[in-house]
Each structure stands twice: as structure tokens, then as C-alpha cells.
Amino acid sequence: MHLSRRRLLYGSAGVAVATMAGCSTDGESSSLSGFTGIAMPTQTSDRWVIEGGFLEQQLQEAGYKTILQYGDDDPELQITQIRSMVDQGVEFLIIGAIDNRSLGEILATAKNRGVTIISYDRLILDTPDVDYYASFDNYEVGVLQAKHILDRLGVQEEGVEGPFNIELFSGSLDDSNSQYFFQGALDTLERYTYSGVIAIPSNETEQEVTSTERWSGAVAMDRMTRLLEDHYEDRELHAVLAPYDGISRGVVYALEDFGLAPGTDEFPVVTGQDAEALSVQFIRDEKGQSQTVFKDTRDLAAVASGMVKSIVNGNDPEVNDLGTYNNGFKFVPSYLLQPVNIDQSNWEEELVGSEYLTVEDVDNAVEPQEF
Ligand code: GAL
């Protein structure tokens, strides 16, 4: 069996890391005040709540006015919020999009009024009006998830024949990041699926059929339950590629309901992303999920607010990638940060050591989503 390769819709798979850092023009200070609208997608995931706060704080510390709003995963609501920010006269928009294809019209209006538009973490597609993109190496996120599966299953060890049964989950189809995460993972698993060491019994390998609408854990839980009932009554499942912690926990709950006990050999390897406190607790305490990807969102917020500050000070923002993220109109000048693999061996050093989380956060974490 082999995975059908979906070509990336936009741009190339590999992330070029051409360094153009510091290509500022050292211009005169602008007449801009720095007034910024921050449109975040949701509050159901820790990261966006924390980042909204960071962005607001960093911009306010620079003396700029800000408006911060959360779109509750509703694309129409997000458009209304952005329209109101534009009407209130923002000079900058920092947007974590909900539906990456729905913002063209409102961004055209914003652009006509001279607003600079920064696509935050998720690339906004199908519009010429995005000026900058601040994100992580999203392809690498998928590589790290797939590598964890290969390592934990011992697939690369000599003499291992398999087959190991795995199932794949991808993110929301309306989020451009999903395809980069998924492609990074598929490319990493590919030689083992070609050789038959890894099998995907459901045969569900395309991005669409594996996708999880709005990254919902409950949606993932339902799909995992169906996969287990249809394909695993008489078969062992060895690993699940899950692209984001909320999805990972939905997968874990479905596996538990199916009668599998976390922390035992029968429980599949489950990956994740975002280092949410509850998922870190699962990793630490062997409660089902064994990996996540840490993207230091404090750094991302600093990159995005730094872009605003540069422009206000009359300089070009620093970017380090011009050739990876094509949004359908152009390659958007990007600043990409590096993601970090997290498992039981390094969560404390990386997450507590960098003060991203405290041990108490991990101890006291509760499920932020509804299942
Ligand atoms: C993606 C983001 C991930 C995760 C996911 C669900 O766009 O890159 O880190 O947060 O959304 O919120």
C-alpha cells in the first residue's frame, strides 16, 4: 500500500531558509501611530488566548493602541470584527484566520485605506492584499510528528518487518497550515508505506477524508470511533498521526472508549501539536498522547508585533523566507520560526525551563473543549 501524494497546492514542500534578516531600509520614522487590530480565531485552544494577550501587551508597551477580538471559529463573525477594526481606523491588522479563503473582500477594503496586513500563523489565501506572514516551519511540524511514530514503533531498526497499522488525521481544510503539516508527515512516512512496513488499514490517506473540521476534538473522536469499529475489531492499531493536541485528545478518548488502556503496550502512539497543558500532562503521565510539537508562541507574537514596530519606525520588517508560502497571488514575505519536538524526555526542560508552562499548569490542566 502506498500513500497517494497530494502535491502541495501552493509553493514547494521544503522550506527555504534563505536569510534576508535585517534587510531594512532604515527609513525615516513614519507618521503612523501603530494602532493595530488583532483578530484571533478562537478561545477553545490555549495558544490563541495566550497569543492574543502577548500581542496586545507587546504593542501596548510600545505605546500603540490595540483592539483584540476572538472570532469563535465563525468566519462571518471574524469578517464583521475585522470590518469594525477597519472602520475604527486601525493602521495594522494581525489576523489568525478562521477560513483562509473568506477574507479577500474585507482585506481589499482595508488595503484601500492603507492598512498593513500581517497573516498570523495561518496563511490567508486568494488575495493580493496580505503584506507579511509570521509563522513556523509548518512542514517540519509534520516531519516531527511522523518521526516520533517511526521512532516509537522502532520502524527503522534492522530486521523490523511490520506491518504496523497506523491511521492518519489532518487539520481543518479551511486552514492552509493543514496541508503543510500533513505533507511533512506523509513525505516522512512514505518509504515505509511503499515498502509495506507501515499499513493504513482504512485506506483513508487523502487530506480531505482525513481532515478535521475547525480542528475539533469532538469531530476527531467521532472519526476515530468509526475507524476503530470498521477496521480494528480484529486488528491492532499501532499509531495515530494527530496534527494538533485537541485532535489528539479526541483520538485518545475514542481509543479509551474502545477499551484500550493508556500506558500499556496495546495503546497506540498518538502525536500532537501546540504543547497544550493538558496534552503535556498526558505525555508526562502516559495518559495516551506521547508527543507534541512546541511552537513558542511568545516568539511568534514578538515577530508579528516586531513587524508593526519596524514599519512604524520607518523600516522594513525582518523576514527570512521569500519562496515558500505562495497564497495564490504571490509568495508572501515570511518570518518562520522553528518548532521543537516534545516527548516525555524533554517536556520539563523545554516547556517549564523556558517558562512557557509551569508544573502547576500541567498538574491542573482541564479539557478546554467539549466532547
Ligand atoms: C493551526 C495552528 C496549530 C493549531 C491549530 C488549531 O493553524 O498552526 O498550531 O493551533 O491551528 O488551533
Side-chain angles (χ1 to χ4, degrees):
M1 184 184 315
H2 64 87
L3 300 174
S4 60
R5 269 173 82 102
R6 277 183 72 115
R7 259 183 349 106
L8 285 180
L9 294 175
Y10 302 101
S12 66
V15 174
V17 199
T19 300
M20 284 151 290
C23 61
S24 60
T25 51
D26 283 336
E28 302 275 299
S29 184
S30 72
S31 58
L32 295 163
S33 72
F35 185 18
T36 303
I38 305 162
M40 293 286 111
T42 181
Q43 302 193 65
T44 59
S45 150
D46 302 348
R47 64 161 288 188
W48 301 108
V49 179
I50 297 170
E51 282 159 276
F54 280 149
L55 283 163
E56 200 171 42
Q57 187 192 340
Q58 287 163 0
L59 292 164
Q60 287 180 1
E61 275 170 11
Y64 309 157
K65 234 170 83 181
T66 56
I67 307 172
L68 166 64
Q69 293 207 286
Y70 290 89
D72 295 341
D73 278 321
D74 174 351
E76 288 304 316
L77 175 62
Q78 187 168 56
I79 291 170
T80 308
Q81 291 175 337
I82 295 172
R83 180 166 297 119
S84 144
M85 291 173 186
V86 172
D87 287 345
Q88 289 175 68
V90 296
E91 299 159 344
F92 297 88
L93 282 166
I94 298 179
I95 302 173
I98 297 167
D99 176 346
N100 59 14
R101 291 178 198 277
S102 69
L103 298 173
E105 209 177 307
I106 180 61
L107 294 194
T109 307
K111 184 58 44 194
N112 276 336
R113 299 200 195 159
V115 177
T116 298
I117 295 149
I118 299 169
S119 194
Y120 186 83
D121 193 69
R122 302 171 169 177
L123 184 62
I124 299 169
L125 302 179
D126 293 347
T127 163
D129 297 320
V130 180
D131 296 296
Y132 297 99
Y133 180 41
S135 190
F136 288 83
D137 179 343
N138 292 306
Y139 181 87
E140 179 66 15
V141 170
V143 171
L144 294 176
Q145 291 163 341
K147 276 189 176 162
H148 177 77
I149 291 178
L150 297 176
D151 286 351
R152 286 292 300 269
L153 298 182
V155 168
Q156 287 141 310
E157 285 161 25
E158 227 171 287
V160 171
E161 286 179 11
F164 295 100
N165 297 322
I166 75 170
E167 293 296 337
L168 310 174
F169 282 72
S170 59
S172 200
L173 280 179
D174 54 13
D175 181 345
S176 57
N177 284 351
S178 302
Q179 66 185 335
Y180 291 92
F181 302 150
F182 198 51
Q183 195 68 46
L186 291 193
D187 289 350
T188 308
L189 297 172
E190 188 175 47
R191 52 182 275 231
Y192 303 99
T193 51
Y194 269 119
S195 68
V197 175
I198 286 179
I200 300 164
S202 70
N203 224 0
E204 296 187 10
T205 59
E206 296 283 335
Q207 196 187 340
E208 191 158 344
V209 70
T210 59
S211 68
T212 313
E213 196 181 8
R214 301 274 140 72
W215 302 93
S216 153
V219 169
M221 186 175 172
D222 285 350
R223 177 163 175 262
M224 190 70 247
T225 301
R226 175 178 64 74
L227 291 173
L228 289 165
E229 286 169 356
D230 290 355
H231 305 284
Y232 292 92
E233 292 291 358
D234 301 310
R235 212 187 245 132
E236 213 180 319
L237 174 61
H238 297 101
V240 181
L241 173 80
Y244 149 67
D245 288 348
I247 292 177
S248 319
R249 294 194 303 276
V251 165
V252 167
Y253 302 145
L255 292 166
E256 285 178 319
D257 286 355
F258 196 65
L260 299 169
T264 64
D265 285 348
E266 66 175 7
F267 206 85
V269 175
V270 179
T271 63
Q273 173 181 200
D274 275 2
E276 291 194 355
L278 185 56
S279 284
V280 175
Q281 184 195 95
F282 279 29
I283 293 168
R284 179 189 69 180
D285 300 344
E286 297 187 9
K287 286 160 97 178
Q289 185 179 338
S290 55
Q291 181 262 3
T292 189
V293 176
F294 172 37
K295 302 193 302 190
D296 196 329
T297 50
R298 294 167 297 190
D299 293 345
L300 186 62
V303 166
S305 58
M307 286 175 167
V308 172
K309 290 178 204 168
S310 292
I311 296 169
V312 172
N313 293 329
N315 297 322
D316 288 338
E318 186 174 323
V319 293
N320 62 8
D321 185 294
L322 292 175
T324 303
Y325 287 95
N326 188 323
N327 82 336
F329 271 86
K330 61 180 180 185
F331 283 97
V332 181
S334 307
Y335 194 99
L336 303 178
L337 293 158
Q338 279 308 307
V340 177
N341 189 66
I342 299 290
D343 59 24
Q344 211 182 30
S345 70
N346 69 345
W347 71 270
E348 195 159 12
E349 185 190 334
E350 292 290 345
L351 301 171
V352 180
S354 70
E355 296 178 11
Y356 188 77
L357 291 176
T358 62
V359 173
E360 290 70 42
D361 292 335
V362 177
D363 288 342
N364 301 331
V366 288
E367 186 56 70
Q369 298 189 47
E370 276 177 33
F371 284 89

